[in-house]
Amino acid sequence: MEESRYQLDLMKAMNQKLNQKERMYKSLLQTSELGFLYYEFGREEVVTLGRFAEFFLFEIKAVKELGRLEEAFAPEYREKLQTALFPERDDQRTATLELETPDHRIWYLMTTTVLSDEHGKPSEKVISFRNISRQKSQNSELLYMAYYDGLTGLYNRNYFVTLLGNFIKNAKDENATVAVMMVDLDDFKKLNDSMGIIVGDEILQQFGSFLHTLEDDQIIACHMSNDIYALAIYAPYGTHSVDSVYGRVRDRLEEPFSLSTGQRFRLTASVGVAEFPEVAGSALDLLNSAEIVTYRCKTMGKNQMAYFEAPILNEFLQSVEMENRLRNAVSQDEFVIYYQPQYYTGNRKIRGFEALVRWKDTGEELIQPSVFIPVAEKNRTILDIGRFVIEESVKQYATWCKVFQMHFRLSINISALQYKSDQFVDLVMGVIREYGVDPADIELEITESILIDDFEMVSRKLSTLRNFGIHISLDDFGTGYSSLSYLKKFPIDTLKIDKSFVDTVLSDPTTRVITESILNMSHSMGFETVAEGVETEQQYQYLHSAGCDVIQGFYMGRPSPAEETEKLLASFSSRDVQ
Ligand code: C2E
Ligand code: MG
Ligand code: MG
């Protein structure tokens, strides 16, 4: 009795232990990421465990049903699957195989393990499956990203440099030439800013696809960055000459890009060419040289191709030097402000002055803003220069107000970078308060590029400035993208019609029609109009009759330093100021 009780207790305890183990195995299998098939050799029964039922829609209960696995994978894996399911047939104990589902959407890693008994004979088999789709796609993406540019599918910059290096190596052996052509789409930034990046990206893709069609074993194409592409041409002679490739690029650009939105855009490109071995001996040097010429093409009027030549390098080095000198120029008091008068067209009374900055660098001659402002915008020194212009001109204006007891308009040019800076509005209002001038006398000249930036930010800043009393004038109107109806959304007071209109208004009837419609529409929208660059009596007469409110130009007065402007002011009586 005692004994049987003891045995019962023992059995219970063992059962409990067994249950515990079973539970443990069960939980292990349930939380595992694998699906299993298990069978013992010599027995028909197959057990499925873990995620098997989740992975596959069919059941496998017997060894002879293992063939069903074939349905689970794409047909091209059939043969390999058979080999991997039965490694023991080749005297192997393990096998692994990566398999895709028939729709090629899911990848599995199958591992077969055969266990042996004490005599070395196969006794049990475990076949496991793991879903490896994510690793697979990450791997292929990483692989792709290492060589290609995601947007255009062309080679990326890094891999292009490697391939170009290979071209150069071969060319050294074969005494051949390699040309690098950098293709930079003109004014792409403007288009991107005004139309949005979706439109921009579509154009970049289309142009990338076109360059792809130029590729063969002697031409490779790459998307370097944003709107810049590069081609490398091995042995650029005959059908593959630089000229013929450039011709094809131009032909493509002659045709507008047709977008999915139905819009059509035409672009041009600036192209710079540098050749091995003439210009440089390494891939990177060759690319740098091509980039320098491309940059130069841009400043020379765009839509053209140029070859790298030694003088270009000198010019480039000079511009780098200018960049460095500009950095110190503000602290060393090297800027001066000239003032150009603006007059009301009807009565020829003075409306005010535009402050125009000049740089007295080391030489005698003053450097004009058209030369250094683009460089200053590039290296951001425009922020310091702009601050100087605001402080200095407002201070000067405050003095003139006191001395001559008269008010007029002071126009100050603001570059986009300045306008975007967080401190800009505070800076302007702070300086106006400090010198105690009437905010309504101050006019900020902005360009269209500012307007097409960030609508919210632009409107907020414009409104703050205008609520404070400051006037806003839109400079160089007609040279950018925005239309008059677009301007309605922005709080602006004055429109400055670009000099290029004034230049041809007398000789070109089309310009005349456009100018007149700009004048009419801006008046109906309540803007004051200023014409810039008026050089002759005839131009003045025409603009007067066409109803332009204000004129500025050499005809009425050139930009002059403060001392001379003071003399002009002294000659005015208050009757000359409206
Ligand atoms: P802008 O604001 O359109 O200035 C008008 C330009 O036309 C000035 O050139 C002026 O000297 C020139 N001009 C005026 N009347 C005539 C004329 O009858 N005939 C000819 N041929 N030219 C005339 P400037 O001073 O060389 O300035 C060029 C540009 O540089 C300015 O164009 C403006 O965009 C920029 N700039 C000038 N000063 C500053 C500044 O302080 N800050 C910023 N951000 N830009 C400035
Ligand atoms: Mg201006
Ligand atoms: Mg202008």
Side-chain angles (χ1 to χ4, degrees):
M1 180 71 187
E2 269 299 300
E3 194 180 338
S4 65
R5 188 149 172 190
Y6 167 75
Q7 271 184 351
L8 207 70
D9 280 352
L10 190 69
M11 265 172 72
K12 254 192 199 160
M14 278 176 67
N15 235 345
Q16 227 171 14
K17 220 170 179 160
L18 213 68
N19 278 345
Q20 243 176 15
K21 274 215 164 131
E22 221 165 61
R23 269 211 308 278
M24 184 178 85
Y25 287 132
K26 233 181 177 169
S27 346
L28 275 176
L29 286 170
Q30 267 166 1
T31 51
S32 155
E33 290 189 348
L34 306 177
F36 296 98
L37 283 170
Y38 171 86
Y39 67 87
E40 285 176 39
F41 282 77
R43 293 184 62 163
E44 253 312 285
E45 193 196 356
V46 173
V47 185
T48 53
L49 298 153
R51 309 221 151 187
F52 189 88
E54 237 174 77
F55 288 166
F56 306 108
L57 294 172
F58 49 82
E59 282 187 285
I60 293 182
K61 295 202 156 149
V63 176
K64 61 174 188 294
E65 290 168 6
L66 281 175
R68 284 199 179 163
L69 282 170
E70 286 184 359
E71 300 160 25
F73 304 110
E76 60 263 34
Y77 293 98
R78 231 158 247 181
E79 220 171 288
K80 283 188 190 156
L81 179 67
Q82 283 302 325
T83 318
L85 278 174
F86 304 103
E88 72 279 7
R89 289 179 185 165
D90 296 321
D91 252 350
Q92 303 291 320
R93 288 297 179 256
T94 56
T96 56
L97 179 64
E98 291 181 352
L99 297 141
E100 281 172 282
T101 51
D103 59 5
H104 297 280
R105 284 171 176 225
I106 304 176
W107 277 93
Y108 287 102
L109 172 69
M110 181 181 97
T111 308
T112 308
T113 311
V114 178
L115 305 172
S116 309
D117 62 13
E118 63 268 31
H119 309 295
K121 279 177 110 186
S123 58
E124 296 156 85
K125 185 183 283 183
V126 181
I127 305 165
S128 68
F129 295 90
R130 177 195 292 273
N131 183 334
I132 54 163
S133 313
R134 196 183 300 160
Q135 289 104 297
K136 271 281 177 196
S137 69
Q138 275 172 355
N139 281 349
S140 61
E141 222 163 80
L142 283 177
L143 206 66
Y144 188 84
M145 274 159 56
Y147 299 112
Y148 299 97
D149 156 63
L151 184 66
T152 60
L154 293 176
Y155 292 122
N156 63 23
R157 185 183 194 283
N158 284 348
Y159 194 53
F160 180 77
V161 171
T162 309
L163 293 176
L164 178 59
N166 293 345
F167 266 12
I168 291 176
K169 241 185 263 155
N170 280 355
K172 275 183 190 156
D173 294 341
E174 297 180 356
N175 247 346
T177 307
V178 179
V180 167
M181 231 169 136
M182 195 164 281
V183 182
D184 187 335
L185 296 175
D186 297 328
D187 297 323
F188 179 79
K189 193 179 173 323
K190 264 191 198 167
L191 183 104
N192 209 33
D193 288 348
S194 58
M195 303 312 300
I197 56 167
I198 294 178
V199 165
D201 280 357
E202 206 175 335
I203 289 177
L204 292 179
Q205 273 166 349
Q206 285 189 21
F207 191 61
S209 305
F210 158 72
L211 291 182
H212 192 51
T213 65
L214 299 181
E215 286 187 297
D216 60 17
D217 55 353
Q218 294 195 37
I219 298 185
I220 46 177
C222 111
H223 185 208
M224 301 279 288
S225 63
N226 202 22
D227 51 358
I228 304 178
Y229 300 81
L231 294 164
I233 312 171
Y234 190 82
Y237 318 110
T239 49
H240 280 134
S241 74
V242 170
D243 282 339
S244 70
V245 172
Y246 178 58
R248 289 172 69 183
V249 170
R250 276 193 78 132
D251 286 349
R252 171 62 191 88
L253 291 174
E254 296 268 293
E255 274 179 41
F257 291 94
S258 300
L259 304 189
S260 50
T261 51
Q263 293 159 297
R264 285 155 76 86
F265 292 99
R266 191 172 271 145
L267 285 173
T268 58
S270 298
V271 178
V273 182
E275 288 187 346
F276 166 88
E278 198 187 321
V279 172
S282 76
L284 282 178
D285 285 349
L286 213 53
L287 271 175
N288 279 343
S289 308
E291 193 180 349
I292 291 171
V293 217
T294 314
Y295 179 69
R296 187 160 179 267
C297 276
K298 283 240 180 272
T299 55
M300 302 284 286
K302 308 172 187 169
N303 192 18
Q304 55 187 300
M305 179 177 77
Y307 282 85
F308 187 91
E309 290 157 14
I312 295 178
L313 184 62
N314 288 338
E315 207 178 274
F316 175 73
L317 292 175
Q318 273 169 16
S319 85
V320 172
E321 200 196 313
M322 176 191 281
E323 236 183 282
N324 291 334
R325 278 182 294 146
L326 262 178
R327 285 185 213 281
N328 301 321
V330 173
S331 56
Q332 289 171 4
D333 259 353
E334 289 178 1
F335 292 100
V336 277
I337 299 177
Y338 274 40
Y339 297 87
Q340 183 175 31
Q342 301 173 331
Y343 293 88
Y344 288 106
T345 316
N347 55 19
R348 295 194 182 214
K349 286 188 175 178
I350 188 90
R351 172 192 189 253
F353 293 86
E354 177 175 4
L356 294 159
V357 69
R358 269 100 185 93
W359 181 20
K360 48 176 191 333
D361 195 15
T362 41
E364 272 298 289
E365 235 170 78
L366 290 173
I367 303 179
Q368 298 300 310
S370 51
V371 177
F372 68 84
I373 295 256
V375 183
E377 279 174 342
K378 220 171 103 213
N379 73 359
R380 301 179 71 86
T381 43
I382 188 70
L383 293 175
D384 292 334
I385 300 173
R387 176 193 300 265
F388 163 81
V389 173
I390 295 169
E391 282 177 352
E392 178 65 23
S393 60
V394 171
K395 183 172 145 200
Q396 179 66 79
Y397 176 66
T399 312
W400 285 339
C401 281
K402 276 199 201 90
V403 174
F404 299 105
Q405 289 293 308
M406 51 169 97
H407 282 260
F408 44 86
R409 197 64 72 79
L410 173 71
S411 309
I412 305 172
N413 291 285
I414 304 296
S415 101
L417 210 59
Q418 262 175 291
Y419 190 80
K420 271 188 219 164
S421 116
D422 290 340
Q423 295 87 38
F424 176 69
V425 172
D426 289 341
L427 167 76
V428 174
M429 299 197 334
V431 170
I432 289 176
R433 284 199 192 101
E434 184 184 342
Y435 294 103
V437 301
D438 182 352
D441 293 347
I442 306 299
E443 177 174 73
L444 302 181
E445 293 195 3
I446 60 172
T447 54
E448 283 164 290
S449 64
I450 293 178
L451 296 186
I452 55 185
D453 231 21
D454 169 353
F455 180 78
E456 289 289 311
M457 178 275 283
V458 173
S459 300
R460 197 165 13 90
K461 286 191 181 177
L462 285 181
S463 302
T464 314
L465 292 164
R466 280 182 91 232
N467 289 341
F468 186 60
I470 292 171
H471 288 95
I472 305 290
S473 166
L474 188 67
D475 206 353
D476 305 336
F477 185 77
T479 57
Y481 275 90
S482 20
S483 60
L484 274 169
S485 54
Y486 181 75
L487 291 184
K488 255 191 248 168
K489 296 194 287 182
F490 293 98
I492 287 166
D493 305 282
T494 306
L495 211 70
K496 287 189 87 169
I497 298 167
D498 192 64
K499 178 175 184 303
S500 55
F501 286 87
V502 177
D503 283 344
T504 52
V505 80
L506 294 179
S507 56
D508 177 27
T510 318
T511 310
R512 210 151 47 230
V513 173
I514 300 175
T515 310
E516 280 163 28
S517 69
I518 293 177
L519 288 170
N520 287 336
M521 276 186 70
S522 47
H523 284 148
S524 69
M525 285 161 69
F527 302 143
E528 183 190 33
T529 49
V530 179
E532 305 190 77
V534 181
E535 293 181 345
T536 65
E537 166 76 21
Q538 289 91 325
Q539 286 169 344
Y540 162 75
Q541 289 299 351
Y542 167 76
L543 289 161
H544 183 24
S545 65
C548 181
D549 301 311
V550 177
I551 55 159
Q552 174 183 348
F554 294 174
Y555 170 63
M556 295 294 277
R558 289 179 177 256
S560 319
E563 310 83 70
E564 266 174 56
T565 306
E566 225 160 85
K567 284 183 204 152
L568 181 70
L569 284 169
S571 73
F572 289 150
S573 67
S574 53
R575 272 182 296 117
D576 297 316
V577 181
Q578 185 163 297

